[in-house]
Amino acid sequence: MDGKPRSGGMPVTRPAALPAAGTPKAVGVVWACLALNTLGSAGAKTVIPLPRSLIQMVTMGALVAAFVLALALNPRLRFRPSAFLFLLTLVLVPSLVSSVQLGYGALFRCTRLALFVGTLWLLSRWWDGSLTFVRHHIRMYFAVLVLVAAGLVIAPGTAMPEYYGQRLVGALWPLTPPQIGQYAAVIIGLTVLLLLGRRTTGAGAALVIVPSLVLLAMTHTRTATLGLLIGLVLAIGSLILTSAAARRFFAWAVLCATVAAVVFSSALRTWFLRGQSQGDLSNLTGRAKVWDALLSAPRTVGETVFGTGLGDKSFDGLPIDNSWLAVYDEQGLIGVTIVAAMVVVLGGVALLRPPSLPRACAIFLISYCGLSSYTEVGLGDASAYLLHLTLAASLLVAPAEATQPAVEVPRRSPEASPPPNVEVPRRRIPRWARR
């Protein structure tokens, strides 16, 4: 329809395309500040010693800045309904109940978690199932890896210390080998999936994947490596039926992995063992002893149900290194139930979604976090793992269908100028008819 009124003066409707509400660029800044907050304040020794108070001020300042900026971007407090964020908000209940008796430190961690969750709620307005937040995720953690590589170039001895068994650490910012391995594995997996979906070029993907693989190998992080491989297998497997590129990549990957396992079996075994004995590997480098001590420790009914309060994820001065046991220790059985429900909800929604690239990215993140939760902590507190799961939740949001409302053209007012007279050709009448 051309939208012009007809001679009868009846209203005419025509479809009007609504402009797509794009995500503001400042949302990427908010996401980067959240990632900066999860880098932590304890780790390796740096070239220039950084006071712990200064690192905490930077990380907490980044979280406060993220919340304020997200509130400025979403002043009307428009949220997208999310079962994941609802369950994550429920985690605050056992955290607060168990932390009241511990004092300032535990309450400060509760406040941090509340700000973190509140910022995620404010960002949920722009969740549309697209890959926007995936690109923000890759850019932020690739910048962290660039900082790690710069520290390796400036001070190789500090970046590969003896007390970490010659494993790569952060020389400019205190980062442990598991942290670096986690960041490298996540952005490698996401970039590979973007390449398969033709959302990035080969040169751009190589710029991210190749140096990240080198840094991952230098960290000797077994959990991150296994999480990367298993996560990619599951994610690419979800695309095999709909993507020819995924089928080709999967076939070549299986062939190359088979050849590498045969040719470099000795080197791979040496890298995997990291100089440890079979006994150390069987008890997970001493983790099993800490887990047995934690489970056998006497607890009251309140501590069993609500936990002992948010802490530094340690037991008797030793790191727990297990997300489920850390949640059980700090947030009790209620916290374990809520966190398990979060993971189950994300996994169930991912299985119900039709095959797509965002779904594959979400499957990779969920499987990676699920595998890493066995030897890493972070599912019950503000951490990079919680940010990975949030990214998966944003990818699983069903995109809203674009509506095209009818625009009604009003009737012509009587005062309006009349339409120009159009001369209508007369019909010729025969002469005999005139008579």
Side-chain angles (χ1 to χ4, degrees):
M1 306 293 289
D2 57 2
K4 296 180 181 179
R6 294 177 178 174
S7 58
M10 296 297 293
V12 180
T13 59
R14 61 181 177 183
L18 293 179
T23 305
K25 294 183 178 180
V27 170
V29 179
V30 177
W31 196 261
C33 290
L34 290 177
L36 177 59
N37 175 257
T38 62
L39 294 184
S41 58
K45 298 179 181 178
T46 56
V47 177
I48 301 176
L50 300 176
R52 182 181 175 85
S53 58
L54 175 62
I55 299 174
Q56 289 179 335
M57 184 173 63
V58 171
T59 54
M60 282 304 300
L63 179 58
V64 173
F67 181 79
V68 172
L69 183 55
L71 189 60
L73 294 173
N74 191 4
R76 296 185 179 181
L77 304 181
R78 295 179 178 176
F79 308 132
R80 179 178 290 274
S82 172
F84 170 79
L85 288 182
F86 173 73
L87 292 172
L88 184 57
T89 306
L90 289 182
V91 175
L92 288 170
V93 177
S95 303
L96 184 60
V97 171
S98 59
S99 299
V100 170
Q101 59 183 356
L102 293 183
Y104 172 77
L107 292 177
F108 178 81
R109 292 184 175 91
C110 286
T111 304
R112 173 176 176 249
L113 180 58
L115 284 176
F116 193 88
V117 175
T119 307
L120 295 179
W121 271 113
L122 292 172
L123 292 181
S124 66
R125 174 185 176 182
W126 293 281
W127 292 4
D128 55 359
S130 66
L131 299 171
T132 302
F133 285 91
V134 172
R135 299 185 185 278
H136 294 325
H137 212 66
I138 293 175
R139 292 190 189 105
M140 172 58 195
Y141 285 117
F142 184 71
V144 175
L145 294 184
V146 169
L147 186 65
V148 172
L152 177 62
V153 173
I154 294 173
T158 306
M160 304 284 289
E162 290 288 344
Y163 59 86
Y164 262 116
Q166 298 290 332
R167 300 171 65 189
L168 180 64
V169 300
L172 300 180
W173 185 271
L175 296 174
T176 60
Q179 285 181 284
I180 301 173
Q182 174 198 163
Y183 305 151
V186 168
I187 67 173
I188 289 171
L190 293 176
T191 306
V192 167
L193 294 175
L194 290 181
L195 181 63
L196 291 180
R198 298 181 180 180
R199 301 300 178 90
T200 185
T201 62
L207 181 63
V208 175
I209 294 174
V210 173
S212 300
L213 275 175
V214 174
L215 296 181
L216 175 61
M218 296 179 70
T219 60
H220 285 257
T221 307
R222 295 176 292 221
T223 301
T225 305
L226 291 176
L228 171 63
L229 296 177
I230 297 175
L232 277 180
V233 168
L234 296 177
I236 297 175
S238 69
L239 294 173
I240 284 181
L241 297 179
T242 58
S243 174
R247 290 191 291 270
R248 290 193 299 268
F249 182 86
F250 188 80
W252 280 105
V254 171
L255 178 62
C256 294
T258 304
V259 173
V262 173
V263 177
F264 304 104
S265 59
S266 178
L268 291 175
R269 178 181 175 83
T270 303
W271 181 89
F272 191 80
L273 289 176
R274 291 193 322 224
Q276 298 174 344
S277 62
Q278 293 291 344
D280 294 335
L281 190 61
S282 61
N283 62 17
L284 299 174
T285 321
R287 291 186 178 96
K289 297 179 180 179
V290 180
W291 298 347
D292 293 338
L294 188 150
L295 292 174
S296 61
R299 290 175 178 268
T300 63
V301 176
E303 291 175 344
T304 303
V305 176
F306 295 101
T308 59
L310 293 184
D312 57 355
K313 311 297 180 292
S314 65
F315 181 77
D316 286 343
L318 298 174
I320 298 176
D321 286 341
N322 183 287
S323 286
W324 304 103
L325 292 180
V327 172
Y328 169 72
D329 181 54
E330 297 183 352
Q331 289 137 325
L333 293 177
I334 293 180
V336 172
T337 304
I338 297 174
V339 172
M342 287 165 41
V343 178
V344 170
V345 166
L346 286 179
V349 174
L351 293 177
L352 294 176
R353 286 284 183 268
S356 65
L357 182 58
R359 174 180 179 252
C361 293
I363 290 175
F364 168 76
L365 292 169
I366 296 169
S367 57
Y368 180 87
C369 292
L371 179 66
S372 300
S373 65
Y374 187 65
T375 57
E376 299 290 339
V377 295
L379 291 186
D381 204 350
S383 66
Y385 288 104
L386 204 58
L387 204 59
H388 301 333
L389 290 180
T390 304
L391 177 60
S394 71
L395 292 169
L396 295 174
V397 170
E401 296 181 359
T403 58
Q404 294 183 346
V407 178
E408 182 176 345
V409 179
R411 299 173 183 266
R412 190 187 320 115
S413 61
E415 294 80 8
S417 58
N421 296 328
V422 180
E423 184 178 356
V424 180
R426 285 187 170 186
R427 182 180 177 184
R428 183 177 177 275
I429 302 176
R431 183 177 299 177
W432 59 269
R434 297 176 192 173
R435 297 175 180 174

